Amino acid sequence: MWKRALDRAGVREPRLRRDYTEQRRAVRRFATAEYAAARILLPAALLPHVVAAVAFMHDTDDRIDRGTPDERAAALTEWDGLVRKALAEGDSALPVLRCLARTAERHPDVRAHVNEFLRGCEREVAWRTIADDEELRQYVREYSLPALMLTACLLAAGDAAARAAFTEGCHLLIRAMQRIDFLEDLPEDVRAGRPGVPADAVARHGADLTRPGPALGRLVEEQADRAAADLTAAAPLPTLVVPPYRPFVRALVGVQRLRLDAVRRAGASLATRTSGPSAPAAALLLLREAARRVRDSAGRPAAACGR
């Protein structure tokens, strides 16, 4: 399966095949569910490029997420230079950037999204708290959406109007995902001094983010309701991509609903523990979409299947 995916993605050089395989192992380790969805539900030719984009995003986040604000800013400056050099020269000493360069060569739109993402990383490095929903929306526009579009751009349609609608759907989806992230990671973020739940909401409910209690439960429910509203608004997203990509996008949206359900169940206990989607429910979702993909593929002419 993987060797075939590399062949269909046009990755034939032995060193690059090893590089992509290394990124695949990393992505499978830190994003197991997401990798499984991509492997099962995306056309083989796209899988290595999705892996390269996700690996780059994760590597970047890891590099700029440690140390003091000054240390993080310095790490971003150094990384920015390495990324731009790799894209300009088509090569790098780092496997993750060699893969990114090849993926950007095969999918030129990736370059613009890498630039937007690196600019957004400046926001990620600088923030300490999020004051209110408007600042959360700004954070999503400047950092979270560019991060998602590194991979989502690989699924976007060629028509400009369709791409604009798709990007707006991605914006709604990532806004929900980011709010869920901040709830899931509450204990870790509080320990790091960077809680992502808007400060005005915390004050409005009188919640203690370090201790379970009714006020925190109300805060979690409010934030979950706002994430749910964005997920509902993002529901048409699968219809904005070509048929071979729809099972993957449906699964992506479906997993966010499972994550949201888990957050609601956890409630105030999120002060002391993280949450995540039910593994059996996520597996069932993937199996259902895989079966639907097979049925849909059987009903389309071979040339329309994007393989």
Side-chain angles (χ1 to χ4, degrees):
M1 165 68 181
W2 178 244
K3 290 180 180 179
R4 184 186 66 172
L6 290 173
D7 291 341
R8 294 190 175 182
V11 181
R12 301 189 181 277
E13 303 90 325
R15 185 178 76 157
L16 264 178
R17 289 173 77 90
R18 290 193 297 270
D19 292 340
Y20 273 91
T21 300
E22 181 181 331
Q23 305 320 305
R24 175 200 181 211
R25 283 194 292 265
V27 170
R28 190 169 54 184
R29 185 172 59 252
F30 68 73
T32 304
E34 291 83 352
Y35 174 77
R39 181 183 179 278
I40 293 169
L41 300 176
L42 283 177
L46 198 63
L47 179 59
H49 299 302
V50 168
V51 163
V54 172
F56 165 69
M57 179 182 64
H58 178 77
D59 200 321
T60 302
D61 187 65
D62 190 53
R63 287 170 183 269
I64 68 174
D65 198 35
R66 296 189 299 266
T68 66
D70 287 345
E71 289 169 338
R72 297 172 72 212
L76 175 58
T77 298
E78 179 183 13
W79 184 239
D80 185 282
L82 291 172
V83 173
R84 295 187 190 282
K85 184 173 185 290
L87 291 179
E89 298 178 357
D91 199 4
S92 171
L94 299 172
V96 67
L97 295 185
R98 290 199 293 268
C99 294
L100 179 69
R102 169 54 65 88
T103 288
E105 177 186 315
R106 292 300 178 108
H107 297 273
D109 286 348
V110 168
R111 289 177 178 271
H113 291 289
V114 168
N115 288 334
E116 290 181 16
F117 173 62
L118 290 172
R119 286 198 301 270
C121 286
E122 297 174 9
R123 153 72 69 164
E124 168 66 9
V125 164
W127 80 276
R128 301 302 299 170
T129 59
I130 291 180
D132 51 29
D133 262 22
E134 177 53 39
E135 191 167 341
L136 175 59
R137 285 191 288 269
Q138 183 180 1
Y139 177 86
V140 169
R141 283 194 303 270
E142 294 181 4
Y143 177 68
S144 309
L145 179 60
L148 176 63
M149 293 308 296
L150 287 170
T151 51
C153 74
L154 298 170
L155 311 178
D159 174 75
R163 290 177 72 88
F166 175 70
T167 301
E168 179 54 30
C170 289
H171 187 186
L172 293 166
L173 176 63
I174 194 60
R175 197 161 67 193
M177 291 171 66
Q178 187 62 73
R179 206 181 289 268
I180 296 167
D181 282 348
F182 284 148
L183 292 171
E184 285 181 336
D185 299 338
L186 188 60
E188 179 182 344
D189 290 347
V190 169
R191 285 194 299 271
R194 302 173 79 218
V197 178
D200 69 332
V202 176
R204 183 168 61 251
H205 290 280
D208 182 347
L209 298 182
T210 67
R211 187 177 304 171
L216 181 56
R218 290 191 294 271
L219 173 65
V220 169
E221 194 63 25
E222 175 195 84
Q223 296 298 303
D225 285 345
R226 295 185 182 187
D230 281 334
L231 275 182
T232 298
L237 190 58
T239 68
L240 302 177
V241 298
V242 295
Y245 301 159
R246 288 175 188 168
F248 176 76
V249 177
R250 281 195 301 264
L252 180 62
V253 175
V255 167
Q256 308 320 308
R257 294 194 180 100
L258 295 178
R259 292 175 66 206
L260 186 57
D261 290 343
V263 160
R264 289 191 191 277
R265 287 195 300 271
S269 71
L270 289 170
T272 57
R273 67 179 182 91
T274 60
S275 73
S278 160
L284 181 61
L285 174 65
L286 291 185
L287 289 173
R288 186 165 59 241
E289 287 298 342
R292 184 172 178 179
R293 179 185 182 221
V294 170
R295 290 196 305 271
D296 291 348
S297 296
R300 290 196 304 268
C305 294
R307 299 280 222 295

